């Protein structure tokens, strides 16, 4: 048992897994390897609060003191470059070789690159704290920011940039923002909030060309419109980091493929978080890959249990949130599994859309409202989804019926 | 000795539920457990200072509305990621249909 537990990727998932191994009383060596120079930290603030402050700070998942107290060895600023499955070792970019009994790959995802010529130094992506600092320097009053892609990260950044007085244009090729996974009625509320805050939101017009001359970025849309900006932030989705796993011969299928216990095609290698695709039990084992913070946490903890032999299957319901201006959106489940929608109004403009499958099963709930107005009912909906409940649509739609009472049924 | 402050009437909170109570520039959360006892904690989550009273009470757990961090509201214990700092709790007594909390 000399090798112990080795974790590659010191992000949300890897960090949580390392802590969980110790919480489970594992006594052997725990090593966490990451290519960023920081402690494991939370990414969600990078497009939200952290951006609005003058000196953004890192929100670490664990301090150096906690890692030391728990005997977690954190090797930072180095990349894992090769896995030798037969020898049970991983080679790092500094030439060192680390042994393992069980290996966890938590390599996360990385921004999808815009496949176009003409990009330059003023065209950037957001994934890391370093990226966030570089972007923050440009979010100043009057500076022109073009956001390419009307997804969550782009829209949250648009809100942060407006708060700091920048002039913001969002460019989305699809007919509306948030086409993926967000119902039109909710996307519309968010769209209106951005327009009300002075963001120019352009939908349904693809990019014909981009030219970055180092001083400004000129984006020309297919319809002929030209947008000049001091900085273009590209947020068109993310792709899983699978290179290390693929070179080691592990099965890749929209991410590193794992079974319900998060085990890859090699029984001693587990994979969790943004980089893995896994069968989602609540939807009959449909294979999905999630890019969500709570999933990274939960899978990190589950992988830790299973590395120690628990043999526990993943059972959670996907859950996601986003904050823009004073609005909070929460989505539980996968809305594309639904056929019919029932709306529940909660007052103050807050509402939840319940997505029901053909057979009446609740498969998802999408909510939006000021502050945390939808949180409680979304959480209850999540529990109903987990129970595979078929609540009466009239009950879901009526504010007078408490969702908690449906859970007991 | 610090004073007992009236927070609400017993009937203001359903069983297995929570209510926000602001007093003297501070904010608290008052809970009624499924077995009809009352408890009080600081009102803000220790992760990102969100009002816990918007969260869900299940048995002796309050779940934060923002990122689902969990606390045992009877003891204040943080019960898992992303929360790691415990919540402060306050003594509570019920007198003639009023819920009183002792603010230290
Ligand atoms: C700006 C932003 C905002 C977000 N907001 C939300 C939100 O509001 N709600 C939500 O639910 N989710 C949000 N997310 C998503 C959430 O942060 C991710 O799902 C989560 O970080 C995934 O955790 P992970 O550990 O799987 O991957 P990551 O956090 O990406 O960590 C992977 C780490 O592994 C490192 N790594 C990769 N390959 C190697 C290698 N070969 N050797 C060493 N290290 C390696 C990477 O550099 C990285 O540090 C947001 C993400 C971003 C970027
Ligand atoms: S603010 Fe409470 S869990 Fe994050």
């Amino acid at each position: 048992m000399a090798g112990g537990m080795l974790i590659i990727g010191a992000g949300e998932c890897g960090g949580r897994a390392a802590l969980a191994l110790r919480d489970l009383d594992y006594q052997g060596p725990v090593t966490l390897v990451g290519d960023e120079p920081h402690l494991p930290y939370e990414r969600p603030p990078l497009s939200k609060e952290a951006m609005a402050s003058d000196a953004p700070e890192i929100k670490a998942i664990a301090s150096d003191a906690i890692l030391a107290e728990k005997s977690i060895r954190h090797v930072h600023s180095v990349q894992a470059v090769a896995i030798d499955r037969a020898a049970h070792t991983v080679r790092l970019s500094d030439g060192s070789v680390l042994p393992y009994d069980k290996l966890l790959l938590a390599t996360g995802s990385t921004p999808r690159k815009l496949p176009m010529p003409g990009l330059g130094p003023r065209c950037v992506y957001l994934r890391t704290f370093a990226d966030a600092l570089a972007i923050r320097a440009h979010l100043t009053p009057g500076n022109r920011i073009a956001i390419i892609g009307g997804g969550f990260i782009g829209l949250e950044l648009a809100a942060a940039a407006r708060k700091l007085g920048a002039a913001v244009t969002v460019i989305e090729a699809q007919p509306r923002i948030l086409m993926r996974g967000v119902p039109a009625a909710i996307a519309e509320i968010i769209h209106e909030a951005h327009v009300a805050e002075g963001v120019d939101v352009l939908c349904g017009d693809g990019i014909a060309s981009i030219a970055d001359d180092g001083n400004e970025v000129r984006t020309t849309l297919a319809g002929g419109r030209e947008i000049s900006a001091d900085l273009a932030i590209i947020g068109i989705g993310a792709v899983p980091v699978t290179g290390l796993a693929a070179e080691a011969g592990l099965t890749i299928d929209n991410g590193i493929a794992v079974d319900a216990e998060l085990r890859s095609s090699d029984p001693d290698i587990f994979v969790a978080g943004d980089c893995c695709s896994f069968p989602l039990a609540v939807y009959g084992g449909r294979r999905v890959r999630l890019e969500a913070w709570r999933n990274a946490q939960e899978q990190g903890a589950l992988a830790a249990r299973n590395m120690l032999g628990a043999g526990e299957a993943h059972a959670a319901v996907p859950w996601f949130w986003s904050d823009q201006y004073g609005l909070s959106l929460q989505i539980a489940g996968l809305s594309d599994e639904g056929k019919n929608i029932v709306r529940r109004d909660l007052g103050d403009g807050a509402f939840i859309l319940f997505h029901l499958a053909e057979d009446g099963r609740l498969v998802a709930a999408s909510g939006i409202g000021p502050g945390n107005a939808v949180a409680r009912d979304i959480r209850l909906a999540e529990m109903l989804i987990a129970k595979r409940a078929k609540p009466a649509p009239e009950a879901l739609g009526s504010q007078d019926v408490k969702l908690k009472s449906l859970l007991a049924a | 000795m610090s004073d007992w402050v009236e927070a609400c009437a017993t009937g203001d909170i359903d069983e297995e539920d929570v209510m926000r109570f602001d007093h003297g520039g501070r904010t608290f959360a008052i809970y009624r457990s499924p077995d009809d006892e009352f408890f009080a904690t600081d009102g803000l989550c220790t992760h990102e200072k969100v009002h816990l009273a918007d969260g869900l009470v299940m048995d002796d757990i309050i779940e934060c509305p923002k990122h689902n961090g969990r606390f045992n509201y009877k003891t204040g214990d943080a019960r898992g990621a992303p929360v790691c700092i415990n919540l402060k709790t306050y003594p509570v007594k019920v007198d003639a249909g009023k819920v009183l909390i002792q603010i230290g």
Side-chain angles (χ1 to χ4, degrees):
Chain A
M1 284 276 140
M5 304 294 173
L6 178 59
I7 302 170
I8 305 300
E12 184 72 42
C13 186
R16 295 290 173 194
L19 294 170
L21 284 167
R22 289 304 185 216
D23 289 345
L24 292 163
D25 266 341
Y26 174 69
Q27 305 286 335
V30 174
T31 309
L32 182 59
V33 177
D35 56 7
E36 292 186 68
H38 315 286
L39 287 164
Y41 62 92
E42 298 188 12
R43 283 178 215 284
L46 301 181
S47 47
K48 305 180 180 73
E49 310 92 277
M51 296 306 280
S53 93
D54 287 339
E57 276 179 31
I58 229 164
K59 194 164 168 58
I61 289 161
S63 62
D64 277 315
I66 297 232
L67 294 181
E69 180 197 311
K70 295 187 184 281
S71 301
I72 294 167
R73 183 172 164 226
H74 177 214
V75 183
H76 62 81
S77 314
V78 287
Q79 205 167 18
V81 291
I83 304 170
D84 184 335
R85 287 163 56 188
H88 276 57
T89 58
V90 173
R91 187 158 49 81
L92 307 185
S93 53
D94 64 1
S96 58
V97 173
L98 298 178
Y100 66 84
D101 293 320
K102 296 275 188 277
L103 176 66
L104 173 62
L105 299 178
T107 47
S109 57
T110 186
R112 183 187 301 280
K113 300 289 182 283
L114 186 65
M116 287 191 99
L119 302 185
R122 286 177 178 264
C123 300
V124 299
Y125 299 87
L126 172 59
R127 182 73 192 174
T128 65
F129 185 66
D131 297 337
L133 284 184
I135 289 173
R136 175 65 185 84
H138 288 92
L139 305 185
T140 50
N143 228 23
R144 299 160 305 161
I145 308 294
I147 301 217
I148 297 176
F152 285 113
I153 290 182
L155 292 168
E156 289 185 349
L157 274 173
R162 280 303 299 145
K163 201 164 172 186
L164 293 161
V168 183
T169 307
V170 171
I171 301 164
E172 170 58 66
Q174 299 287 328
R176 66 164 169 94
I177 57 167
L178 299 172
M179 276 294 270
R180 209 171 50 124
V182 180
I186 289 181
E188 197 180 308
I189 305 273
I190 295 176
H191 185 125
E192 282 165 10
H194 280 280
V195 171
E197 298 282 347
V199 177
D200 206 359
V201 186
L202 310 176
C203 293
D205 201 354
I207 295 173
S209 68
I210 292 191
D212 178 350
D213 65 8
N215 286 312
E216 72 169 15
V217 186
R218 212 164 28 239
T219 306
T220 308
L221 303 186
R225 189 161 167 173
E226 261 193 21
I227 298 111
S228 297
D230 299 296
L231 186 73
I233 307 172
I234 303 165
I236 55 169
V239 291
V241 177
T242 57
L244 187 65
E247 271 175 42
L250 300 181
T251 305
I252 310 292
D253 177 4
N254 176 32
I256 309 165
V258 294
D259 64 16
E261 295 175 18
L262 306 182
R263 204 184 294 258
S264 72
S265 49
D266 179 326
D268 287 331
I269 304 181
F270 291 77
V271 192
D274 278 18
C275 65
C276 81
S277 75
F278 65 99
L280 200 46
V282 256
Y283 304 112
R286 168 179 169 189
R287 182 163 289 276
V288 296
R289 190 176 67 78
L290 302 176
E291 289 161 12
W293 181 75
R294 198 178 80 188
N295 176 65
Q297 274 180 17
E298 286 170 348
Q299 289 196 337
L302 177 62
R305 295 197 289 279
N306 287 342
M307 287 164 89
L308 299 178
E312 188 182 326
H314 179 276
V317 173
W319 178 84
F320 182 89
W321 95 97
S322 171
D323 300 327
Q324 292 161 50
Y325 310 107
L327 289 173
S328 223
L329 161 144
Q330 292 197 7
I331 297 178
L334 301 179
S335 58
D336 67 356
E337 293 270 332
K339 281 275 178 293
N340 302 308
I341 289 184
V342 175
R343 178 177 168 133
R344 181 186 183 94
D345 285 294
L346 305 177
D348 276 343
F351 66 91
I352 291 180
L353 301 178
F354 293 100
H355 308 262
L356 300 166
E358 208 133 30
D359 65 356
R361 221 185 94 190
L362 181 64
V363 288
S366 317
I368 188 155
N372 291 308
V374 302
R376 201 188 281 217
D377 280 350
I378 288 287
R379 182 69 177 107
L380 288 163
E382 185 194 323
M383 292 187 228
L384 287 166
I385 296 167
K387 280 182 72 174
R388 297 167 166 76
K390 295 181 179 175
E394 311 77 60
L396 290 175
S398 162
Q399 253 195 86
D400 302 331
V401 180
K402 288 199 166 191
L403 290 189
K404 219 177 196 175
S405 69
L406 302 179
L407 202 57
Chain B
M1 279 296 355
S2 43
D3 288 337
W4 287 91
V5 178
E6 183 184 327
C8 59
T10 51
D12 291 345
I13 315 177
D14 288 342
E15 276 183 18
E16 201 175 48
D17 211 345
V18 58
M19 201 182 93
R20 174 174 164 182
F21 170 58
D22 292 346
H23 180 81
R26 294 160 69 186
T27 183
F28 304 90
I30 316 288
Y31 309 83
R32 184 170 178 176
S33 69
D35 49 2
D36 205 14
E37 278 188 88
F38 290 83
F39 298 87
T41 70
D42 268 340
L44 300 179
C45 182
T46 58
H47 181 233
E48 281 184 8
K49 302 203 184 315
V50 160
H51 282 286
L52 289 170
D54 291 327
L56 181 67
V57 178
M58 298 290 281
D59 293 324
D60 50 9
I61 297 292
I62 172 72
E63 215 178 59
C64 175
K66 191 84 238 179
H67 315 116
N68 310 130
R70 287 177 194 176
F71 302 91
N72 179 321
Y73 59 81
K74 299 183 175 178
T75 61
D77 287 343
R79 283 292 176 80
V83 296
C84 46
I85 302 167
N86 294 344
L87 266 185
K88 192 166 160 40
T89 58
Y90 300 88
V92 176
K93 67 180 179 190
V94 174
D95 188 15
K98 307 281 183 209
V99 180
L100 304 151
I101 78 170
Q102 192 176 35
I103 298 171

